[in-house]
Amino acid sequence: MNSTETRHPKDIKDVLLKSHSVSMNDFIAVARYGAKVSFSQDYCDRVNHSRHLVEKCLEENRLIYGITTGFGDNVTQVISPKDAERLQRNIVRSHAVSVGDSLEKEVVRATQLMMLISLGQGYSGVRLDVLQLIASLLNHDVMPFVPGDGSVGYLGPEAHMALVLMGEGLVLDQGELIPGKEALKKAGLEPVTLGCKEGLALTSGTTSVMAHALLALYNGIQSAKTADIAGAMSLEALKGTLKAFDPRYHSVKRHKEQAGTAENILRILDGSDITEKYKDFRLQDAHSLRCIPQMHGAAKKALKDALDTIMDEMGSTGDNPIIYPEGDDGIGLMGGNFDGSYVGIYSDAMCIAMANLAKISERRGDRLVNQHFSGLPNFLTANPGLNNGYMIPQYTAAGLLGEIKVLSHPATVDSVSTSAGQEDPVTFAYLASKKAYTISKKLEYILAIELMAAAQALDFHGTLQPSLASKAAYNLIRSRVPIVEEDRYFYPDIESIKEQIHEGDILRAVENVVGELQF
């Protein structure tokens, strides 16, 4: 694992693509925070050798899919070498048919980075000049306009990005759409003429699927740890007992994520006056409090399994065909490495895992604002009736949870045949990963609402002090969100805390006190 894995992505300014896949933090540094990309000599050597082999195949007019044949059901149509460049232009133009609004900037950048990682493995035959232009788009912050709807697995979004490399398509420039050729010129860049196999390689594979999945996974892992913080603060504010977190209890169930979560809660609440005073207040708490280790732990396990699978995919070549080097020559191998089933299935699993984190967080948030459960002023306002307090933010959390439930239906169990039956099952992995990305952001809002309520609830405990870790999170929240004494416009409050979750600020504040939380 790269040494930068321990650094926060926003602190990573340069990422060198070498002989292995990049770390998660490196990936997020480029996609989200604009780190610059460069290539190692080993990377360049692999790419140049692979290109040499493709050109050899073309010169000898070997029958290889997408090089000397048409695409999809047109595989039976033989293409002459003199039409190789035209074939590649045509695949990009004809496949740029996704529709709707553009994908978010970080998703577009993540897809471009995945192109560099996948095509740089040395099996795709794309020229180094083409990959350098993609890196230049990233480094010069040139943002292709990439409609995000209508893909069954990949192809469409990637083709819109490839158009810009050709000096075609559209680019988002300071909120305006401008022609790709004009955008390249403004950045001091020149378009390329795609050669043999390059159009196919740029549109094939799991790049846009992986882009969504990696961003969702990063958000999900960060939220899973933050959920422990939110759960601990809610437990503290609700006078919960720590009996359900006894390590002896968790030692008899063979799930290390469960035991790790229980340990996290104990570490976060260590030294709390509130918890100490109310340790015997109840014999047993409601599920949303005492089942934190089990429910959070199960979600973490699913996310960890997804992490292993998705990082394996990052280090893979999702192209078809590949040119496999054999000595000074190579052989064209054709199959289905573009298939996104691995990423799609685990993206569906991520959706379910994050939905479970969302549902327990929403229930804790409801308990915090409900006087019948909390023993605190109704809706956490000192003057209920005249003030609604946090009554309606709970509605927002419930609404978001309803949306997450719908989005958690697995996409990869479905299929619609395409390309005249040549592509008879399709993965819908693109939809699965896109859903996971959407859910990951909705989960952050639900956690933000819980943390907002938990901070307010702690204020009703008078002189009793929360734990140092809870106080660290509380102080960070209060730096942006003041105590609620009467009703106000709560939207900025929710957005502020959500941003603190998204940027990892709350997690870092707590880990600065207790050390790294287990995942």
Side-chain angles (χ1 to χ4, degrees):
M1 187 168 289
N2 195 299
S3 62
T4 59
E5 190 67 26
T6 58
R7 296 164 59 195
H8 191 278
K10 69 171 63 174
D11 297 325
I12 300 170
K13 304 304 180 185
D14 297 283
V15 172
L16 180 68
L17 300 187
K18 298 185 283 190
S19 58
H20 51 75
S21 59
V22 302
S23 72
M24 173 70 84
N25 284 3
D26 282 338
F27 190 92
I28 300 299
V30 174
R32 181 167 293 172
Y33 296 108
K36 305 295 185 184
V37 178
S38 59
F39 305 147
S40 70
Q41 187 60 51
D42 177 63
Y43 180 102
C44 297
D45 291 344
R46 287 198 314 271
V47 168
N48 287 331
H49 181 60
S50 181
R51 183 62 193 174
H52 167 73
L53 297 179
V54 165
E55 291 174 349
K56 182 177 176 67
C57 292
L58 183 65
E59 289 170 4
E60 298 175 3
N61 202 18
R62 301 180 191 176
L63 190 63
I64 301 174
Y65 172 73
I67 296 180
T68 52
T69 76
F71 307 112
D73 190 51
N74 286 328
V75 65
T76 57
Q77 306 298 313
V78 177
I79 307 297
S80 69
K82 67 181 178 64
D83 289 325
E85 288 185 0
R86 184 179 175 189
L87 177 69
Q88 301 307 310
R89 287 196 303 272
N90 285 347
I91 189 174
V92 172
R93 289 169 176 167
S94 66
H95 284 48
V97 292
S98 53
V99 297
D101 296 332
S102 183
L103 294 172
E104 292 188 28
K105 182 176 181 177
E106 67 177 10
V107 178
V108 174
R109 290 180 60 85
T111 306
Q112 292 172 309
L113 179 56
M114 272 309 307
M115 287 178 175
L116 296 179
I117 294 170
S118 179
L119 301 179
Q121 299 291 329
Y123 302 103
S124 297
V126 176
R127 285 170 300 157
L128 186 60
D129 287 351
V130 176
L131 300 183
Q132 287 173 330
L133 181 55
I134 296 173
S136 293
L137 295 185
L138 287 168
N139 294 341
H140 287 81
D141 203 24
V142 177
M143 164 71 178
F145 172 72
V146 184
D149 296 337
S151 176
V152 297
Y154 52 96
L155 295 175
E158 286 86 348
H160 281 277
M161 296 182 203
L163 279 176
V164 175
L165 302 176
M166 297 162 51
E168 301 180 17
L170 295 169
V171 167
L172 278 166
D173 181 60
Q174 297 181 340
E176 300 288 332
L177 284 175
I178 64 173
K181 187 173 184 179
E182 180 182 336
L184 291 178
K185 185 177 180 180
K186 283 184 67 174
L189 304 172
E190 293 289 335
V192 292
T193 299
L194 297 180
C196 169
K197 195 181 180 295
E198 290 178 332
L200 174 60
L202 288 167
T203 56
S204 189
T206 59
T207 51
S208 58
V209 177
M210 281 287 289
H212 284 98
L214 282 159
L215 289 165
L217 185 57
Y218 180 83
N219 292 346
I221 291 171
Q222 189 163 254
S223 286
K225 288 183 167 185
T226 306
D228 288 356
I229 298 167
M233 291 177 68
S234 294
L235 182 83
E236 190 175 25
L238 289 166
K239 306 174 186 177
T241 176
L242 294 179
K243 294 173 183 175
F245 302 89
D246 190 316
R248 295 171 297 179
Y249 186 77
H250 298 284
S251 70
V252 301
K253 197 150 185 179
R254 301 176 69 176
H255 300 299
K256 62 182 180 180
E257 296 80 14
Q258 174 181 323
T261 300
E263 183 180 329
N264 284 349
I265 301 300
L266 292 175
R267 288 164 60 197
I268 293 167
L269 294 182
D270 183 47
S272 168
D273 292 347
I274 302 169
T275 302
E276 177 61 25
K277 178 175 180 178
Y278 295 108
K279 62 183 178 181
D280 295 317
F281 186 72
R282 297 185 194 91
L283 181 64
Q284 186 168 264
D285 289 309
H287 281 194
S288 57
L289 300 178
R290 64 182 155 108
C291 292
I292 289 173
Q294 291 80 5
M295 294 184 69
H296 287 201
K300 290 174 185 174
K301 172 61 174 171
L303 291 171
K304 285 169 76 171
D305 289 346
L307 175 63
D308 289 341
T309 299
I310 289 169
M311 293 305 288
D312 279 347
E313 182 71 24
M314 187 198 280
S316 305
T317 297
D319 200 3
N320 182 54
I322 64 166
I323 307 301
Y324 196 86
E326 294 186 335
D328 294 330
D329 202 350
I331 183 171
L333 300 176
M334 290 155 276
N337 277 351
F338 52 80
D339 184 273
S341 293
Y342 283 100
V343 184
I345 289 170
Y346 277 93
S347 291
D348 278 335
M350 282 197 287
C351 290
I352 294 169
M354 290 186 287
N356 276 273
L357 291 173
K359 82 177 181 185
I360 189 173
S361 175
E362 185 279 329
R363 286 293 80 200
R364 289 192 299 259
D366 178 70
R367 297 189 81 82
L368 285 164
V369 302
N370 187 334
Q371 65 177 342
H372 303 294
F373 295 137
S374 69
L376 299 170
N378 211 18
F379 306 118
L380 299 176
T381 177
N383 191 8
L386 180 62
N387 291 291
N388 294 296
Y390 283 151
M391 178 194 297
I392 307 302
Q394 188 270 325
Y395 288 31
T396 302
L400 289 165
L401 181 59
E403 294 171 15
I404 288 173
K405 288 178 180 177
V406 172
L407 290 168
S408 294
H409 175 78
T412 52
V413 299
D414 203 355
S415 180
V416 176
S417 180
T418 60
S419 193
Q422 176 73 0
E423 297 162 0
D424 41 357
V426 297
T427 64
F428 282 127
Y430 179 84
L431 176 56
S433 64
K434 190 178 178 185
K435 291 191 305 98
Y437 179 60
T438 301
I439 287 173
S440 74
K441 293 183 289 182
K442 293 181 186 294
L443 171 59
E444 290 173 340
Y445 278 114
I446 292 175
L447 291 170
I449 291 168
E450 181 187 0
L451 283 166
M452 183 174 71
Q456 182 78 2
L458 288 173
D459 287 319
F460 288 102
H461 282 276
T463 59
L464 289 176
Q465 291 297 305
S467 70
L468 291 177
S470 291
K471 190 68 174 177
Y474 173 92
N475 288 339
L476 187 63
I477 291 167
R478 284 285 175 257
S479 71
R480 304 277 294 275
V481 177
I483 294 170
V484 178
E485 296 177 348
E486 61 179 4
D487 285 350
R488 63 169 183 256
Y489 182 35
F490 290 128
Y491 170 81
D493 296 350
I494 298 170
E495 288 289 340
S496 292
I497 301 172
K498 181 263 183 186
E499 189 68 14
Q500 290 175 332
I501 294 170
H502 188 71
E503 293 297 316
D505 295 337
I506 288 176
L507 179 58
R508 283 199 303 280
V510 169
E511 290 188 330
N512 284 340
V513 175
V514 301
E516 185 175 0
L517 294 178
Q518 293 193 56
F519 170 68

